[in-house]
Amino acid sequence: MSLPHAILTALLEKPSSGLELTRRFDKSIGYFWSATHQQIYRELGKLEAEGYIRTLPSEQSARGQKKSYEVLPAGRAELARWSAASQAPKPLRDVLLLRLRAAAVVGTEGIEADLRRHLELHRRQLAEYEEIEERDFPPDKDSPQDRLRHLVLRAGIDLETFWTQWLAHALEEFAELPADQSR
């Protein structure tokens, strides 16, 4: 149920077309809630049918023109209701952790190389988040909205910091394993 709420959030921040929403998902919301172009367009249709958003009037002919959407009062109320509702945390599901558990019984072939690959990916993501933080959140950017957006970014930074530290530790553990672990 969260994709419609992610779209409502994005549209409340700035009325947009489906293509603009897709691009914004790729640059911000997509860091923590991903969606394909098709999913976004399908959800826009549903949100419009439910009366949560509407297509903005256009001054151009409708043929070949991209529709832009804005949130209606019912959509804002739904987002406020959802945002205020209590939700339990999701249990962690991570394929790499499951593969490590499986390696304990079938052998570690290929795992160390993948740990190194994951470490590099997480280091790159961390560097990207830190660059965004430096660019978009200078000390004087202190409005309540900015502070909440920065808090979301900090979650990403802290998670990537965790993963880079944990992966470095896992690789240290691998270095100490006996040479023949490929049962």
Side-chain angles (χ1 to χ4, degrees):
M1 185 66 173
S2 295
L3 179 56
H5 299 101
I7 291 171
L8 288 170
T9 299
L11 289 175
L12 278 170
E13 291 173 343
K14 179 182 177 191
S16 304
S17 69
L19 181 59
E20 291 166 337
L21 277 173
T22 300
R23 288 180 180 149
R24 288 174 56 209
F25 263 71
D26 289 344
K27 292 180 181 175
S28 63
I29 291 175
Y31 286 124
F32 57 91
W33 197 268
S34 62
T36 66
H37 187 77
Q38 293 85 359
Q39 288 171 316
I40 290 172
Y41 274 94
R42 188 171 40 249
E43 214 48 62
L44 284 169
K46 290 177 186 176
L47 289 168
E48 191 168 27
E50 292 170 356
Y52 291 155
I53 65 172
R54 73 176 181 120
T55 304
L56 288 170
S58 173
E59 298 170 10
Q60 300 173 356
S61 67
R63 187 168 183 193
Q65 169 209 320
K66 57 184 179 182
K67 293 181 189 177
S68 286
Y69 300 89
E70 71 176 354
V71 177
L72 295 171
R76 179 181 284 277
E78 168 55 21
L79 186 60
R81 181 208 60 77
W82 177 81
S83 178
S86 176
Q87 296 179 1
K90 296 272 185 202
L92 176 64
R93 289 178 50 159
D94 189 278
V95 173
L96 181 60
L97 297 176
L98 181 58
R99 289 178 54 225
L100 274 174
R101 183 71 182 252
V105 292
V106 298
T108 60
E109 188 172 334
I111 298 288
E112 185 175 3
D114 210 31
L115 287 170
R116 291 187 191 289
R117 187 179 69 82
H118 278 252
L119 178 58
E120 181 55 33
L121 292 170
H122 284 286
R123 281 180 174 157
R124 276 193 249 147
Q125 190 64 65
L126 177 58
E128 186 174 343
Y129 286 163
E130 288 172 337
E131 187 178 302
I132 292 169
E133 182 179 43
E134 187 174 319
R135 181 190 68 222
D136 294 349
F137 295 100
D140 62 335
K141 197 168 188 179
D142 201 31
S143 73
Q145 295 84 0
D146 289 329
R147 291 177 74 174
L148 291 173
R149 288 183 186 113
H150 191 197
L151 192 58
V152 172
L153 179 61
R154 283 299 321 170
I157 290 170
D158 292 347
L159 284 169
E160 294 304 329
T161 298
F162 161 78
W163 280 113
T164 57
Q165 291 173 351
W166 182 85
L167 287 159
H169 176 74
L171 286 165
E172 289 171 7
E173 289 288 327
F174 260 78
E176 295 177 12
L177 291 176
D180 185 19
Q181 286 293 303
S182 57
R183 295 174 212 235

